[in-house]
Amino acid sequence: MLVAPPSPTVTLKTRTGFELAVRAAEPTDEALLEHFFAAVSPEDLRFRFLSALDHVGHDKLAQLVRVDHWQTESFLAFDNDDRLVATAMLACAPAMDVGEVAISMRADVKGRGIGWTLLEHVAHEAQRRGVKRLQCIESRENHYAVELEREMGFKAIDSGDPSIIILEARF
């Protein structure tokens, strides 16, 4: 069952002063997300979806925009020019005790604190929903994300897969 998205738009400021307008995705955002993912590097697409993709198609896009806005939420982050620069997905277990987060951003905005700020935003939202453990499932090759998550206090746990690392924050 779909419910109404949470509060309309929040403004976040990164540690570098970059401002983001963040809101929940809606079904009408599918074309916007398709355009966004076309501007994400192939390596970052692989890191986000943990598989090689040339194009993010309708089935995956639908999973990002047709969410229940409670157990699953997809956040869109826009710059001051109203350009979609990053996305963050929160997917929680049915018991709402464990959540998983995945973040993607355009290559041309990396290094501005967007990943940190979005992860912090999603972590607060997960806590608000009652999540006790927030996990990031990463390719071991995604050194940038793994380092950022460790800096934020996430701890590595065994994934059982030598190519994957799970980082977890407990609240």
Side-chain angles (χ1 to χ4, degrees):
M1 177 176 155
L2 299 177
V3 296
S7 61
T9 301
V10 297
T11 301
L12 305 175
K13 189 177 268 192
T14 72
R15 66 181 186 271
T16 66
F18 193 86
E19 284 193 8
L20 297 169
V22 178
R23 68 168 174 81
E26 302 168 0
T28 56
D29 291 319
E30 186 172 329
L32 177 67
L33 274 168
E34 183 174 24
H35 180 73
F36 165 79
F37 282 118
V40 173
S41 75
E43 180 180 55
D44 286 339
L45 281 178
R46 183 172 57 83
F47 289 155
R48 168 58 180 88
F49 294 101
L50 296 175
S51 64
L53 294 175
D54 292 332
H55 174 77
V56 180
H58 169 72
D59 290 346
K60 288 203 184 299
L61 294 168
Q63 293 173 7
L64 299 175
V65 298
R66 299 186 190 289
V67 298
D68 65 9
H69 299 292
W70 183 252
Q71 186 177 342
T72 305
E73 188 66 86
S74 184
F75 298 94
L76 306 180
F78 298 86
D79 65 10
N80 285 333
D81 295 325
D82 205 31
R83 181 177 64 139
L84 180 59
V85 295
T87 69
M89 182 80 166
L90 172 64
C92 301
M96 296 299 292
D97 56 339
V98 179
E100 179 187 335
V101 62
I103 296 175
S104 294
M105 75 181 72
R106 294 173 54 110
D108 60 333
V109 296
K110 286 186 174 183
R112 299 182 187 181
I114 294 170
W116 180 285
T117 301
L118 271 180
L119 183 54
E120 189 173 58
H121 178 69
V122 173
H124 286 122
E125 189 60 32
Q127 286 180 287
R128 184 182 76 78
R129 295 171 192 219
V131 170
K132 302 295 182 216
R133 298 179 325 180
L134 184 62
Q135 298 179 339
C136 302
I137 302 172
E138 304 290 359
S139 163
R140 288 190 184 273
E141 296 175 15
N142 193 352
H143 303 291
Y144 172 81
V146 171
E147 182 179 326
L148 180 143
E149 291 151 6
R150 283 186 169 153
E151 287 176 11
M152 291 189 73
F154 284 70
K155 306 289 184 208
I157 59 175
D158 183 25
S159 70
D161 181 333
S163 66
I164 300 292
I165 184 169
I166 299 174
L167 293 114
E168 181 176 89
R170 293 180 178 254
F171 309 118

